[in-house]
Coordinates of all heavy atoms in Angstrom, one line a residue:
M1 N 16.6 105.0 99.4 CA 15.5 105.0 98.6 C 14.8 106.3 98.4 O 13.7 106.4 98.0 CB 14.5 104.0 99.1 CG 14.9 102.5 99.1 SD 15.3 101.9 97.4 CE 13.5 101.7 96.8
K2 N 15.5 107.4 98.8 CA 14.9 108.7 98.8 C 15.0 109.2 97.3 O 16.0 109.2 96.7 CB 15.6 109.7 99.7 CG 14.9 109.8 101.1 CD 15.8 110.6 102.0 CE 15.5 112.1 101.8 NZ 16.2 112.9 102.8
R3 N 13.8 109.6 96.8 CA 13.7 110.1 95.5 C 14.1 111.6 95.4 O 14.7 112.0 94.4 CB 12.3 109.9 94.9 CG 12.3 109.6 93.4 CD 11.1 108.7 93.1 NE 9.8 109.4 93.4 CZ 9.1 110.1 92.6 NH1 9.6 110.4 91.4 NH2 8.0 110.7 93.0
F4 N 13.8 112.3 96.4 CA 14.1 113.7 96.4 C 15.0 114.1 97.5 O 15.1 113.5 98.5 CB 12.8 114.5 96.6 CG 11.8 114.3 95.6 CD1 10.4 114.1 95.9 CD2 12.1 114.2 94.2 CE1 9.5 113.9 95.0 CE2 11.1 114.0 93.3 CZ 9.8 113.8 93.6
T5 N 15.8 115.1 97.2 CA 16.6 115.7 98.3 C 15.8 116.7 99.0 O 15.3 117.6 98.5 CB 17.8 116.4 97.7 OG1 18.4 115.7 96.6 CG2 18.9 116.7 98.7
H6 N 15.5 116.4 100.3 CA 14.7 117.3 101.0 C 15.6 118.4 101.7 O 16.2 118.1 102.8 CB 13.8 116.6 102.0 CG 12.5 116.2 101.4 ND1 11.3 116.7 101.8 CD2 12.3 115.4 100.4 CE1 10.4 116.2 101.0 NE2 10.9 115.4 100.1
R7 N 15.6 119.5 101.1 CA 16.4 120.6 101.7 C 15.4 121.4 102.5 O 14.4 121.8 102.1 CB 16.9 121.5 100.5 CG 18.1 122.4 100.9 CD 19.4 121.6 101.2 NE 19.9 121.0 100.0 CZ 20.8 121.7 99.2 NH1 21.2 122.9 99.5 NH2 21.2 121.1 98.1
N8 N 15.8 121.7 103.8 CA 14.9 122.4 104.7 C 15.6 123.5 105.3 O 16.4 123.3 106.3 CB 14.3 121.4 105.7 CG 13.1 121.9 106.4 OD1 12.6 122.9 106.0 ND2 12.7 121.3 107.5
E9 N 15.4 124.7 104.8 CA 16.1 125.8 105.4 C 15.2 127.1 105.3 O 14.4 127.2 104.4 CB 17.4 126.0 104.7 CG 17.3 126.1 103.2 CD 18.6 125.8 102.4 OE1 19.5 125.3 103.1 OE2 18.5 126.0 101.2
G10 N 15.4 128.0 106.2 CA 14.7 129.3 106.1 C 15.4 130.2 105.0 O 16.5 129.9 104.6
F11 N 14.7 131.2 104.5 CA 15.3 132.1 103.5 C 14.6 133.4 103.6 O 13.5 133.5 104.2 CB 15.3 131.5 102.1 CG 13.9 131.2 101.6 CD1 13.2 132.2 100.9 CD2 13.2 130.0 101.9 CE1 11.9 132.0 100.4 CE2 11.9 129.8 101.5 CZ 11.2 130.8 100.7
V12 N 15.2 134.4 102.9 CA 14.5 135.7 102.8 C 13.9 135.8 101.4 O 14.6 135.6 100.4 CB 15.5 136.9 103.0 CG1 14.8 138.2 102.8 CG2 16.1 136.8 104.4
C13 N 12.6 136.1 101.4 CA 11.9 136.1 100.1 C 12.4 137.2 99.2 O 12.6 138.3 99.6 CB 10.4 136.3 100.3 SG 9.4 136.5 98.8
E14 N 12.6 136.9 97.9 CA 13.2 137.9 97.0 C 12.0 138.8 96.5 O 12.3 139.9 96.0 CB 13.8 137.2 95.8 CG 15.1 136.6 96.1 CD 15.8 136.1 94.8 OE1 15.4 136.5 93.7 OE2 16.8 135.4 95.0
H15 N 10.8 138.4 96.7 CA 9.7 139.2 96.2 C 9.2 140.2 97.3 O 9.0 141.4 97.0 CB 8.6 138.3 95.8 CG 7.4 139.1 95.1 ND1 7.6 139.7 93.9 CD2 6.2 139.4 95.5 CE1 6.5 140.3 93.5 NE2 5.6 140.1 94.5
C16 N 8.9 139.8 98.5 CA 8.4 140.7 99.5 C 9.3 140.9 100.7 O 9.0 141.6 101.7 CB 7.0 140.1 100.0 SG 7.2 138.6 101.0
Q17 N 10.5 140.3 100.6 CA 11.5 140.5 101.7 C 11.2 139.9 103.0 O 11.8 140.2 104.0 CB 11.9 141.9 101.8 CG 13.0 142.4 100.9 CD 12.5 142.5 99.5 OE1 11.5 143.2 99.2 NE2 13.1 141.9 98.5
A18 N 10.1 139.1 103.1 CA 9.7 138.4 104.3 C 10.8 137.4 104.7 O 11.4 136.8 103.8 CB 8.4 137.8 104.2
T19 N 11.0 137.2 106.0 CA 11.9 136.1 106.4 C 11.0 134.9 106.6 O 10.1 134.9 107.4 CB 12.6 136.5 107.7 OG1 13.3 137.7 107.5 CG2 13.5 135.4 108.1
V20 N 11.3 133.9 105.8 CA 10.5 132.7 105.8 C 11.3 131.6 106.6 O 12.4 131.2 106.3 CB 10.3 132.2 104.4 CG1 9.4 130.9 104.4 CG2 9.7 133.3 103.5
P21 N 10.6 131.1 107.7 CA 11.3 130.1 108.5 C 11.3 128.8 107.9 O 10.5 128.5 106.9 CB 10.4 130.1 109.8 CG 9.1 130.5 109.3 CD 9.3 131.5 108.2
E22 N 12.2 127.9 108.3 CA 12.2 126.6 107.7 C 10.9 125.8 108.0 O 10.3 126.1 109.0 CB 13.4 125.8 108.2 CG 13.5 125.5 109.7 CD 14.7 124.8 110.1 OE1 15.8 125.3 109.8 OE2 14.6 123.8 110.8
A23 N 10.5 124.9 107.2 CA 9.3 124.2 107.3 C 9.5 123.0 108.2 O 10.6 122.4 108.3 CB 8.8 123.8 106.0
V24 N 8.5 122.7 109.0 CA 8.5 121.5 109.8 C 7.9 120.3 109.0 O 6.7 120.4 108.6 CB 7.7 121.7 111.1 CG1 7.7 120.4 112.0 CG2 8.4 122.8 111.9
G25 N 8.6 119.3 108.7 CA 8.1 118.1 108.1 C 7.8 118.2 106.6 O 7.2 117.3 106.0
T26 N 8.3 119.3 106.0 CA 8.1 119.4 104.6 C 9.3 120.2 104.0 O 10.1 120.7 104.7 CB 6.8 120.0 104.2 OG1 6.6 120.0 102.8 CG2 6.7 121.4 104.7
C27 N 9.3 120.2 102.7 CA 10.4 121.0 102.0 C 9.9 122.4 101.7 O 9.0 122.5 100.9 CB 10.8 120.2 100.7 SG 12.1 121.0 99.9
R28 N 10.4 123.4 102.3 CA 10.0 124.7 102.1 C 10.5 125.2 100.7 O 11.7 125.2 100.5 CB 10.6 125.6 103.2 CG 10.3 127.1 102.9 CD 8.9 127.5 103.4 NE 8.8 127.5 104.8 CZ 7.7 127.4 105.5 NH1 6.6 127.1 104.9 NH2 7.7 127.5 106.8
N29 N 9.6 125.6 99.8 CA 10.1 126.0 98.5 C 9.4 127.3 98.1 O 9.5 127.7 97.0 CB 9.9 124.9 97.5 CG 8.5 124.4 97.4 OD1 7.6 125.0 97.9 ND2 8.4 123.2 97.0
H30 N 8.5 127.9 98.9 CA 7.9 129.1 98.6 C 7.7 130.0 99.8 O 7.7 129.5 100.9 CB 6.6 128.9 97.8 CG 5.6 128.1 98.5 ND1 5.5 126.8 98.4 CD2 4.6 128.5 99.3 CE1 4.5 126.4 99.2 NE2 3.9 127.4 99.8
C31 N 7.5 131.3 99.6 CA 7.3 132.3 100.6 C 5.9 132.1 101.3 O 4.9 131.9 100.6 CB 7.4 133.7 100.0 SG 7.0 135.0 101.2
T32 N 5.8 132.1 102.6 CA 4.6 131.9 103.3 C 3.7 133.1 103.2 O 2.5 133.0 103.4 CB 4.8 131.5 104.7 OG1 5.6 132.5 105.3 CG2 5.4 130.2 104.9
Q33 N 4.2 134.3 102.8 CA 3.5 135.5 102.8 C 2.9 135.8 101.4 O 1.7 135.9 101.2 CB 4.3 136.7 103.3 CG 4.8 136.5 104.7 CD 3.6 136.3 105.7 OE1 2.6 137.0 105.6 NE2 3.7 135.2 106.5
C34 N 3.8 136.0 100.4 CA 3.3 136.3 99.1 C 3.3 135.1 98.2 O 2.8 135.1 97.0 CB 4.3 137.3 98.4 SG 5.9 136.7 98.1
L35 N 3.8 133.9 98.7 CA 3.7 132.6 98.0 C 4.6 132.5 96.8 O 4.5 131.5 96.0 CB 2.3 132.3 97.6 CG 1.2 132.4 98.7 CD1 -0.2 132.0 98.1 CD2 1.5 131.4 99.8
Y36 N 5.5 133.5 96.5 CA 6.4 133.4 95.4 C 7.4 132.3 95.7 O 7.8 132.0 96.8 CB 7.2 134.7 95.2 CG 6.5 135.6 94.2 CD1 5.3 136.2 94.5 CD2 7.0 135.8 92.9 CE1 4.6 137.0 93.6 CE2 6.4 136.7 92.0 CZ 5.2 137.3 92.3 OH 4.6 138.1 91.4
S37 N 7.9 131.7 94.6 CA 8.9 130.6 94.7 C 10.1 131.0 93.9 O 10.1 132.1 93.3 CB 8.3 129.3 94.3 OG 9.2 128.3 94.5
K38 N 11.1 130.2 93.7 CA 12.2 130.5 92.9 C 12.6 129.3 92.1 O 12.5 128.1 92.6 CB 13.4 130.9 93.8 CG 14.4 131.8 93.1 CD 15.5 132.2 94.1 CE 16.6 132.8 93.2 NZ 17.9 132.9 93.9
H39 N 12.9 129.5 90.8 CA 13.3 128.4 90.0 C 14.7 127.9 90.2 O 15.6 128.4 89.5 CB 13.0 128.8 88.5 CG 13.0 127.7 87.5 ND1 13.0 127.8 86.2 CD2 13.1 126.3 87.8 CE1 13.0 126.6 85.6 NE2 13.1 125.7 86.6
V40 N 14.9 127.1 91.2 CA 16.2 126.6 91.5 C 16.3 125.1 91.5 O 17.4 124.6 91.5 CB 16.7 127.1 92.9 CG1 17.0 128.6 92.9 CG2 15.7 126.8 94.0
D41 N 15.1 124.4 91.4 CA 15.2 123.0 91.4 C 14.8 122.3 90.1 O 13.9 122.8 89.4 CB 14.2 122.4 92.5 CG 14.5 122.9 93.9 OD1 15.7 123.2 94.1 OD2 13.6 122.8 94.8
V42 N 15.4 121.3 89.7 CA 14.9 120.4 88.6 C 14.0 119.4 89.2 O 12.8 119.3 88.8 CB 16.1 119.7 87.9 CG1 15.6 118.7 86.9 CG2 17.0 120.7 87.3
N43 N 14.4 118.7 90.3 CA 13.5 117.9 91.1 C 13.5 118.6 92.4 O 14.4 119.2 92.9 CB 14.0 116.5 91.3 CG 14.0 115.7 90.0 OD1 12.9 115.6 89.4 ND2 15.1 115.2 89.5
P44 N 12.3 118.5 93.1 CA 12.2 119.3 94.4 C 13.3 119.1 95.3 O 13.7 118.0 95.7 CB 10.9 118.7 95.0 CG 10.1 118.2 93.8 CD 11.1 117.7 92.8
G45 N 14.0 120.2 95.7 CA 15.0 120.2 96.7 C 16.4 120.0 96.2 O 17.4 120.1 96.9
D46 N 16.6 119.7 94.9 CA 17.9 119.4 94.4 C 18.8 120.6 94.0 O 20.0 120.6 93.9 CB 17.9 118.4 93.3 CG 17.3 118.9 92.0 OD1 16.9 120.1 92.0 OD2 17.1 118.1 91.1
R47 N 18.1 121.8 93.9 CA 18.8 123.1 93.6 C 19.7 122.9 92.3 O 20.7 123.5 92.2 CB 19.7 123.5 94.8 CG 18.9 123.8 96.1 CD 17.9 124.9 96.0 NE 17.3 125.2 97.2 CZ 16.1 124.7 97.7 NH1 15.4 123.9 97.0 NH2 15.7 125.1 98.9
A48 N 19.2 122.2 91.3 CA 20.0 121.9 90.1 C 19.6 122.7 88.9 O 20.2 122.6 87.9 CB 19.9 120.4 89.8
A49 N 18.6 123.6 89.0 CA 18.2 124.4 87.9 C 19.0 125.6 87.8 O 19.3 126.3 88.8 CB 16.7 124.8 88.0
A50 N 19.5 125.9 86.6 CA 20.3 127.1 86.4 C 19.6 128.4 86.3 O 20.1 129.5 86.3 CB 21.2 126.9 85.2
C51 N 18.3 128.3 86.1 CA 17.4 129.5 85.8 C 17.5 130.6 86.8 O 17.9 131.7 86.6 CB 16.0 129.0 85.5 SG 14.9 130.4 85.2
G52 N 17.1 130.2 88.1 CA 17.1 131.2 89.2 C 16.0 132.3 89.1 O 16.0 133.2 89.8
G53 N 15.1 132.1 88.1 CA 14.0 133.1 88.0 C 13.0 133.1 89.1 O 12.9 132.1 89.9
K54 N 12.3 134.2 89.3 CA 11.2 134.2 90.4 C 10.0 133.5 89.8 O 9.7 133.6 88.6 CB 10.8 135.6 90.7 CG 11.6 136.2 91.9 CD 10.8 137.4 92.5 CE 11.1 138.6 91.6 NZ 10.6 139.8 92.3
M55 N 9.4 132.7 90.6 CA 8.2 131.9 90.2 C 7.0 132.5 90.8 O 6.8 132.5 92.1 CB 8.4 130.4 90.5 CG 9.6 129.8 89.8 SD 9.6 128.0 89.8 CE 8.4 127.6 88.7
R56 N 6.1 133.0 90.0 CA 4.8 133.6 90.4 C 3.8 132.6 90.8 O 3.6 131.6 90.0 CB 4.3 134.5 89.3 CG 3.1 135.4 89.7 CD 2.8 136.3 88.5 NE 2.5 135.6 87.3 CZ 1.3 135.1 87.0 NH1 0.3 135.3 87.8 NH2 1.1 134.5 85.8
P57 N 3.1 132.7 91.9 CA 2.0 131.8 92.2 C 0.8 132.2 91.2 O 0.2 133.2 91.3 CB 1.6 132.1 93.6 CG 2.1 133.5 93.9 CD 3.2 133.7 92.9
A58 N 0.5 131.3 90.3 CA -0.5 131.6 89.2 C -1.9 131.2 89.6 O -2.8 132.0 89.4 CB -0.1 130.9 87.9
R59 N -2.0 130.1 90.2 CA -3.4 129.6 90.6 C -3.3 128.5 91.6 O -2.2 127.9 91.8 CB -4.1 129.2 89.3 CG -3.5 128.0 88.6 CD -4.2 127.7 87.3 NE -3.7 126.5 86.7 CZ -2.6 126.5 85.9 NH1 -2.0 127.6 85.6 NH2 -2.1 125.4 85.4
L60 N -4.4 128.1 92.1 CA -4.5 127.0 93.1 C -5.2 125.8 92.4 O -6.2 126.0 91.8 CB -5.3 127.5 94.3 CG -5.0 126.8 95.7 CD1 -3.6 127.0 96.1 CD2 -5.9 127.4 96.7
E61 N -4.5 124.7 92.6 CA -5.1 123.5 92.0 C -5.8 122.7 93.1 O -5.2 122.3 94.1 CB -4.0 122.6 91.4 CG -4.5 121.4 90.7 CD -3.3 120.6 90.2 OE1 -2.7 119.9 91.1 OE2 -3.0 120.6 89.1
L62 N -7.1 122.6 92.9 CA -7.9 121.9 93.9 C -8.5 120.6 93.4 O -9.3 120.6 92.5 CB -9.1 122.8 94.4 CG -8.8 124.2 94.8 CD1 -10.1 125.0 95.0 CD2 -7.9 124.2 96.0
K63 N -7.9 119.5 93.8 CA -8.4 118.2 93.4 C -8.9 117.4 94.6 O -8.1 117.3 95.6 CB -7.3 117.4 92.7 CG -7.1 117.9 91.3 CD -6.0 117.0 90.6 CE -5.7 117.5 89.2 NZ -4.5 116.9 88.7
S64 N -10.0 116.8 94.6 CA -10.5 116.1 95.8 C -9.6 115.0 96.2 O -9.1 114.2 95.3 CB -12.0 115.6 95.5 OG -12.0 114.8 94.4
G65 N -9.4 114.9 97.4 CA -8.6 113.8 98.0 C -7.1 114.0 97.9 O -6.3 113.2 98.3
L66 N -6.7 115.2 97.3 CA -5.3 115.5 97.2 C -5.0 116.8 98.0 O -5.9 117.6 98.1 CB -4.9 115.6 95.8 CG -4.8 114.4 94.9 CD1 -4.5 114.7 93.5 CD2 -3.7 113.5 95.5
P67 N -3.8 117.0 98.4 CA -3.5 118.3 99.1 C -3.6 119.4 98.0 O -3.3 119.2 96.8 CB -2.0 118.1 99.5 CG -1.6 116.7 99.2 CD -2.6 116.1 98.4
Y68 N -4.0 120.6 98.5 CA -4.0 121.7 97.6 C -2.6 122.0 97.0 O -1.7 121.9 97.8 CB -4.6 123.0 98.3 CG -6.0 122.9 98.7 CD1 -6.6 123.9 99.4 CD2 -6.8 121.8 98.3 CE1 -7.9 123.9 99.8 CE2 -8.1 121.8 98.7 CZ -8.7 122.8 99.5 OH -10.0 122.8 99.8
R69 N -2.6 122.4 95.8 CA -1.3 122.7 95.2 C -1.3 124.1 94.6 O -2.2 124.5 93.9 CB -0.8 121.7 94.2 CG -0.7 120.3 94.8 CD 0.0 119.3 94.0 NE -0.5 119.1 92.7 CZ 0.1 118.4 91.8 NH1 1.2 117.7 92.0 NH2 -0.5 118.2 90.6
I70 N -0.2 124.8 94.8 CA 0.0 126.1 94.1 C 0.7 125.9 92.8 O 1.7 125.2 92.8 CB 0.8 127.1 95.0 CG1 0.1 127.3 96.3 CG2 1.0 128.4 94.2 CD1 1.1 128.0 97.3
I71 N 0.2 126.4 91.7 CA 0.9 126.3 90.4 C 1.8 127.5 90.3 O 1.3 128.6 90.2 CB -0.1 126.2 89.2 CG1 -1.2 125.1 89.5 CG2 0.7 125.9 87.9 CD1 -0.7 123.7 89.6
H72 N 3.1 127.3 90.3 CA 4.0 128.3 90.2 C 4.5 128.4 88.7 O 4.8 127.4 88.1 CB 5.3 128.1 91.1 CG 5.0 128.4 92.5 ND1 4.9 127.5 93.5 CD2 4.8 129.6 93.1 CE1 4.7 128.1 94.7 NE2 4.6 129.4 94.5
V73 N 4.6 129.6 88.2 CA 5.1 129.8 86.9 C 6.3 130.7 86.9 O 6.3 131.8 87.5 CB 4.0 130.5 86.0 CG1 4.5 130.7 84.5 CG2 2.7 129.7 86.0
C74 N 7.4 130.3 86.3 CA 8.7 131.0 86.3 C 8.5 132.2 85.4 O 8.1 132.1 84.3 CB 9.8 130.1 85.8 SG 11.4 131.0 85.8
Q75 N 8.9 133.4 85.9 CA 8.7 134.6 85.1 C 9.8 134.8 84.1 O 9.8 135.6 83.2 CB 8.7 135.8 86.1 CG 7.6 135.8 87.1 CD 7.5 137.1 87.9 OE1 8.4 137.4 88.6 NE2 6.3 137.7 87.8
K76 N 10.9 134.0 84.2 CA 12.0 134.1 83.3 C 11.8 133.1 82.1 O 12.0 133.5 81.0 CB 13.3 133.7 84.1 CG 14.5 134.4 83.6 CD 15.6 134.3 84.7 CE 17.0 134.3 84.1 NZ 18.0 134.1 85.2
C77 N 11.5 131.8 82.4 CA 11.5 130.8 81.4 C 10.1 130.2 81.2 O 10.0 129.3 80.4 CB 12.5 129.7 81.6 SG 12.1 128.7 83.0
K78 N 9.1 130.6 81.9 CA 7.7 130.1 81.8 C 7.5 128.7 82.3 O 6.5 128.1 82.0 CB 7.2 130.3 80.3 CG 7.4 131.6 79.7 CD 6.6 132.7 80.4 CE 6.8 134.0 79.8 NZ 6.7 135.1 80.8
F79 N 8.5 128.1 82.9 CA 8.4 126.8 83.5 C 7.3 126.8 84.5 O 7.2 127.7 85.3 CB 9.7 126.4 84.1 CG 9.7 125.0 84.7 CD1 9.8 123.9 84.0 CD2 9.7 124.9 86.1 CE1 9.8 122.6 84.6 CE2 9.7 123.7 86.7 CZ 9.7 122.5 86.0
E80 N 6.4 125.7 84.5 CA 5.4 125.6 85.5 C 5.6 124.4 86.4 O 6.0 123.4 86.0 CB 4.0 125.4 84.8 CG 3.4 126.6 84.2 CD 1.9 126.4 83.9 OE1 1.3 125.6 84.5 OE2 1.5 127.2 83.0
R81 N 5.3 124.7 87.7 CA 5.5 123.5 88.6 C 4.5 123.7 89.8 O 4.3 124.7 90.4 CB 6.9 123.4 89.2 CG 6.9 122.3 90.2 CD 8.3 121.9 90.6 NE 9.2 123.0 90.9 CZ 10.4 122.9 90.4 NH1 10.9 121.9 89.8 NH2 11.2 123.9 90.7
P82 N 3.8 122.6 90.1 CA 2.9 122.6 91.2 C 3.7 122.4 92.5 O 4.6 121.6 92.6 CB 1.9 121.4 91.0 CG 2.7 120.5 90.1 CD 3.7 121.3 89.4
N83 N 3.3 123.1 93.6 CA 3.9 122.9 94.9 C 2.8 122.8 95.9 O 1.9 123.5 95.9 CB 4.8 124.1 95.2 CG 6.1 124.1 94.5 OD1 6.9 123.2 94.7 ND2 6.4 125.1 93.7
K84 N 3.0 121.8 96.8 CA 2.0 121.6 97.9 C 1.9 122.9 98.8 O 2.9 123.5 99.1 CB 2.4 120.4 98.7 CG 1.6 119.2 98.4 CD 1.9 118.0 99.3 CE 3.2 117.3 99.0 NZ 3.5 116.2 99.9
V85 N 0.7 123.2 99.1 CA 0.4 124.3 100.1 C 0.9 123.8 101.4 O 0.7 122.7 101.8 CB -1.1 124.6 100.2 CG1 -1.4 125.5 101.3 CG2 -1.6 125.2 98.8
T86 N 1.7 124.7 102.1 CA 2.1 124.3 103.5 C 1.2 124.9 104.5 O 0.5 125.9 104.2 CB 3.6 124.7 103.8 OG1 3.8 126.0 103.3 CG2 4.5 123.8 103.1
E87 N 1.1 124.4 105.7 CA 0.2 124.8 106.7 C 0.2 126.2 107.1 O -0.8 126.8 107.4 CB 0.4 123.9 108.0 CG -0.4 122.6 108.0 CD -0.1 121.8 109.3 OE1 0.1 122.5 110.3 OE2 -0.2 120.6 109.2
D88 N 1.4 126.8 107.1 CA 1.5 128.2 107.5 C 1.5 129.2 106.3 O 1.9 130.4 106.5 CB 2.8 128.4 108.4 CG 4.0 127.7 107.7 OD1 3.9 127.2 106.6 OD2 5.1 127.8 108.4
D89 N 1.1 128.8 105.1 CA 1.0 129.7 104.0 C -0.1 130.7 104.4 O -1.1 130.4 105.0 CB 0.6 129.0 102.8 CG 1.8 128.3 102.1 OD1 2.9 128.6 102.5 OD2 1.5 127.4 101.2
N90 N 0.1 131.9 104.0 CA -0.9 133.0 104.2 C -2.2 132.7 103.5 O -2.3 132.6 102.3 CB -0.3 134.3 103.7 CG -1.1 135.5 104.1 OD1 -2.3 135.6 103.6 ND2 -0.6 136.4 104.9
K91 N -3.2 132.6 104.3 CA -4.5 132.2 103.8 C -5.1 133.2 102.9 O -5.8 132.9 101.9 CB -5.5 131.9 104.9 CG -5.1 130.7 105.8 CD -5.1 129.4 105.1 CE -4.7 128.2 106.0 NZ -3.2 128.3 106.4
D92 N -4.9 134.5 103.2 CA -5.4 135.6 102.3 C -4.8 135.5 100.9 O -5.4 135.7 99.9 CB -5.2 136.9 102.9 CG -6.0 137.1 104.2 OD1 -7.1 136.5 104.3 OD2 -5.6 137.9 105.0
S93 N -3.5 135.2 100.9 CA -2.8 135.1 99.6 C -3.3 133.9 98.8 O -3.5 134.0 97.6 CB -1.3 135.0 99.9 OG -0.7 136.1 100.6
L94 N -3.6 132.8 99.6 CA -4.1 131.7 98.9 C -5.5 132.0 98.3 O -5.8 131.5 97.2 CB -4.2 130.5 99.9 CG -2.9 129.8 100.3 CD1 -3.2 128.8 101.5 CD2 -2.2 129.2 99.2
M95 N -6.3 132.7 99.0 CA -7.6 133.0 98.5 C -7.6 133.9 97.2 O -8.4 133.7 96.4 CB -8.4 133.8 99.6 CG -8.9 132.9 100.7 SD -9.9 131.5 100.1 CE -8.9 130.1 100.7
T96 N -6.6 134.7 97.1 CA -6.5 135.5 95.8 C -6.3 134.6 94.7 O -6.7 134.9 93.5 CB -5.4 136.6 95.9 OG1 -4.2 136.0 96.1 CG2 -5.7 137.6 97.1
L97 N -5.6 133.5 94.9 CA -5.3 132.5 93.8 C -6.6 131.8 93.4 O -6.8 131.5 92.3 CB -4.2 131.5 94.2 CG -2.9 132.1 94.6 CD1 -1.9 131.0 94.9 CD2 -2.3 132.9 93.5
V98 N -7.4 131.5 94.4 CA -8.7 130.9 94.1 C -9.6 131.7 93.2 O -10.2 131.3 92.3 CB -9.4 130.5 95.5 CG1 -10.8 129.9 95.2 CG2 -8.6 129.6 96.3
D99 N -9.6 133.0 93.5 CA -10.4 133.9 92.7 C -10.0 133.9 91.3 O -10.8 134.0 90.4 CB -10.3 135.4 93.3 CG -11.1 135.5 94.6 OD1 -11.9 134.6 94.8 OD2 -10.8 136.4 95.3
K100 N -8.7 133.8 91.0 CA -8.2 133.8 89.6 C -8.5 132.6 88.9 O -8.5 132.5 87.7 CB -6.7 134.0 89.7 CG -6.2 135.4 89.7 CD -4.7 135.5 89.7 CE -4.1 136.4 90.7 NZ -2.7 136.3 90.9
F101 N -8.8 131.5 89.7 CA -8.9 130.2 89.1 C -10.2 130.0 88.3 O -11.3 130.5 88.8 CB -8.9 129.1 90.2 CG -8.8 127.7 89.8 CD1 -7.8 127.4 88.9 CD2 -9.7 126.8 90.2 CE1 -7.7 126.1 88.5 CE2 -9.6 125.5 89.8 CZ -8.6 125.1 88.9
Ligands
ZN1 ZN1 7.4 136.7 99.7
ZN2 ZN1 12.9 129.4 85.1

């Protein structure tokens, strides 16, 4: 009954070259330091998108009662996708997104 493929693995960020460890209890899909993501999924974790573009963290979505979400925008095809903030995301990086909002 799983709707998403939860891929959980560490990776090296293509934007800031930070080594991002695998996430505990969630699907890691963005860098914990610069918050950049990569356009590789059609559905979270499936790695089915052919684009492969870097996804810039554009803003933070704050809705009461829901986890904070980073809105990622693909720099190649302009695709937008919200991603849940993970506990070890760099708080300073998150704050710069709030200012833009
Ligand atoms: Zn990074
Ligand atoms: Zn894309």
